[in-house]
Amino acid sequence: MTSADFATDPHLICADRYWRLRFLDRPTIQTAAACSTWLVGHVIRDHHTEVLEKWSLGYAFITKDSVESSLELSRAVEEIVEHDSSAGETAYFATLYHAGKLRSNFWFDELHQFLDASLLALAAGVHRQAPLFTALRSFAAFGSRVLTTEHAIGLLDQAWSSSERTRHVVDICLNGIQAAVPFDGHGQLLRERAAEAVRDHPLDHIFHFRLASGQHMVRDHDAALDSINTALRHLPALGSRGSHKLLQEQYLAKRDAILEGRLRAELDAEHAQQLAGQEERHRRRWEQLEGELRRRGEEQEKARREGQEAARANHVRAVELVAVFTSAIAFAVGSLQVTLTGSYSLYDRLALIAAWGVGHVIFALLVVGGTWLITRPRR
């Protein structure tokens, strides 16, 4: 094969249909090993990686309902190691095939265990360092309840920054982020990486779908609606590995969810605006009530003070009147006694009466002045 064009290369199209039928008939590691051997002998090195990734993952998806047991895998590994001269590359293809089944079924922990400890994955040798292998490990770590998000992101960055990153590496990385156990910055990470994928592959419908999912997670509903509409527009009507109907239903479900989220956001914004207006009205009304209460309090305090001052003034006047009245009585009694008794001359009597009157006047003035001094208003 001199190309990796699955749309126009007749030889590749024919080979693709042949191996598709073989995998559907016998979805085993042995079939994957045979396909890998044929691929090495018939596809030129320049297109080897693209065809290998497309076939191993694509055939895994259409046969995901037939996951082989650990015993079956062990037997297959023995056959590959004993009879295949390029055992490492064959084991790598078979590993991707089986891992693709686990990935399609979202068996995260089983995928992690298979990639890390199975004899088949270990037999892949140097191919374990390939970015696609790392991307699968990242996918397993993102969905696992055991592994940490930091570990998953570390593997993601390693695969994403590789100079050998392919379209399938990007797809698995984005799929892992989207299927991850929720974490802080989840939607932001998916949106950023999917936006980069869309820039590199502007006609890829699945990347526009991932971007719409990330935008939906961060509540950027308008942008998410544009992205999912673009995904629907680029979705091909036919496909041998993926179901057009299944993908279309998935995209339409996401579109409905985005529209629902958009409507809910609009209703929430409207409700928040109404609450803010009601809060403002309540605040103004409360300020008015506080002002009225403050004015009434000030008026009552003023009236109370005026009443206290009036009562104090009346009390002072009463004391002053009592003092003057007492002095007047004492003066009258004393004057009458001086007038009616004794043998004083008229001049002496007048002098005594005058002195007596002056004394009482001074006494009354002292009482009145002292009372004023004691009861005068103070600041």
Side-chain angles (χ1 to χ4, degrees):
M1 303 295 175
T2 58
S3 76
D5 189 349
F6 285 84
T8 60
D9 188 336
H11 299 92
L12 186 59
I13 294 173
C14 184
D16 183 34
R17 292 179 179 178
Y18 167 79
W19 284 110
R20 183 175 185 273
L21 293 175
R22 282 200 53 176
F23 273 100
L24 288 174
D25 179 63
R26 191 181 180 190
T28 63
I29 294 299
Q30 287 84 353
T31 304
C35 181
S36 175
T37 302
W38 185 92
L39 189 153
V40 171
H42 293 82
V43 178
I44 62 175
R45 179 56 57 180
D46 292 342
H47 304 295
H48 183 269
T49 299
E50 184 175 354
V51 175
L52 179 147
E53 294 180 351
K54 192 176 187 67
W55 276 3
S56 60
L57 298 176
Y59 297 145
F61 178 78
I62 64 176
T63 59
K64 62 182 178 180
D65 58 339
S66 58
V67 179
E68 295 174 86
S69 66
S70 300
L71 180 59
E72 291 172 326
L73 292 178
S74 299
R75 292 173 179 174
V77 171
E78 294 177 1
E79 295 179 6
I80 292 174
V81 173
E82 290 179 1
H83 302 95
D84 198 326
S85 58
S86 57
E89 190 162 356
T90 302
Y92 178 56
F93 186 100
T95 298
L96 294 181
Y97 173 68
H98 187 75
K101 290 183 180 181
L102 299 177
R103 172 219 175 189
S104 299
N105 291 321
F106 297 97
W107 293 1
F108 300 102
D109 292 323
E110 291 82 353
L111 177 59
H112 167 69
Q113 184 177 3
F114 169 72
L115 293 175
D116 274 11
S118 72
L119 294 176
L120 182 62
L122 294 175
V126 295
H127 297 286
R128 292 172 57 86
Q129 306 303 321
L132 185 61
F133 193 95
T134 305
L136 287 167
R137 292 180 60 206
S138 173
F139 177 89
F142 269 119
S144 174
R145 296 281 180 176
V146 179
L147 302 175
T148 64
T149 303
E150 290 76 13
H151 177 66
I153 294 177
L155 292 172
L156 170 73
D157 291 338
Q158 182 180 345
W160 195 270
S161 60
S162 173
S163 59
E164 300 176 358
R165 186 183 76 184
T166 63
R167 184 262 172 200
H168 291 91
V169 172
V170 175
D171 181 34
I172 293 177
C173 286
L174 295 180
N175 192 12
I177 300 173
Q178 185 173 0
V181 177
F183 59 90
D184 292 338
H186 187 182
Q188 184 68 21
L189 179 63
L190 178 58
R191 182 176 66 171
E192 291 176 354
R193 297 303 172 91
E196 184 177 344
V198 167
R199 287 194 297 269
D200 295 339
H201 307 273
L203 300 181
D204 197 308
H205 59 91
I206 193 70
F207 293 161
H208 286 281
F209 168 70
R210 306 293 187 204
L211 177 58
S213 299
Q215 292 165 336
H216 184 210
M217 292 173 69
V218 298
R219 300 181 181 180
D220 188 1
H221 299 104
D222 292 338
L225 186 60
D226 290 339
S227 296
I228 197 64
N229 287 336
T230 304
L232 287 166
R233 185 169 62 252
H234 291 319
L235 178 64
L238 298 174
S240 60
R241 293 171 184 79
S243 170
H244 170 81
K245 182 179 179 181
L246 179 63
L247 289 175
Q248 187 179 55
E249 290 176 353
Q250 185 178 4
Y251 292 0
L252 289 175
K254 175 61 67 175
R255 188 177 186 275
D256 291 340
I258 293 171
L259 289 173
E260 182 180 355
R262 185 183 185 187
L263 177 60
R264 190 184 307 113
E266 292 175 353
L267 294 176
D268 290 344
E270 183 179 352
H271 183 60
Q273 186 176 3
Q274 291 176 354
L275 288 178
Q278 186 175 3
E279 178 104 9
E280 180 64 21
R281 289 192 296 271
H282 287 170
R283 186 186 63 80
R284 289 198 299 266
R285 181 57 181 165
W286 180 249
E287 289 178 352
Q288 292 175 357
L289 290 175
E290 283 186 333
E292 293 177 3
L293 291 173
R294 192 180 301 110
R295 286 193 297 272
R296 290 181 182 178
E298 291 174 354
E299 291 174 357
Q300 291 176 355
E301 180 66 17
K302 182 179 180 181
R304 185 183 65 81
R305 290 178 181 176
E306 290 176 352
Q308 289 178 346
E309 291 177 358
R312 189 184 299 113
N314 293 333
H315 178 70
V316 171
R317 294 190 188 97
V319 172
E320 292 172 352
L321 288 174
V322 169
V324 172
F325 184 69
T326 302
S327 298
I329 292 175
F331 173 75
V333 172
S335 299
L336 183 61
Q337 187 176 8
V338 171
T339 303
L340 298 177
T341 60
S343 56
Y344 297 105
S345 63
L346 179 60
Y347 177 79
D348 291 335
R349 290 178 186 276
L350 291 174
L352 286 173
I353 291 171
W356 184 257
V358 170
H360 281 286
V361 169
I362 293 174
F363 171 74
L365 291 175
L366 289 174
V367 172
V368 172
T371 302
W372 176 84
L373 182 63
I374 293 172
T375 61
R376 76 184 188 279
R378 293 180 176 84
R379 293 187 179 180

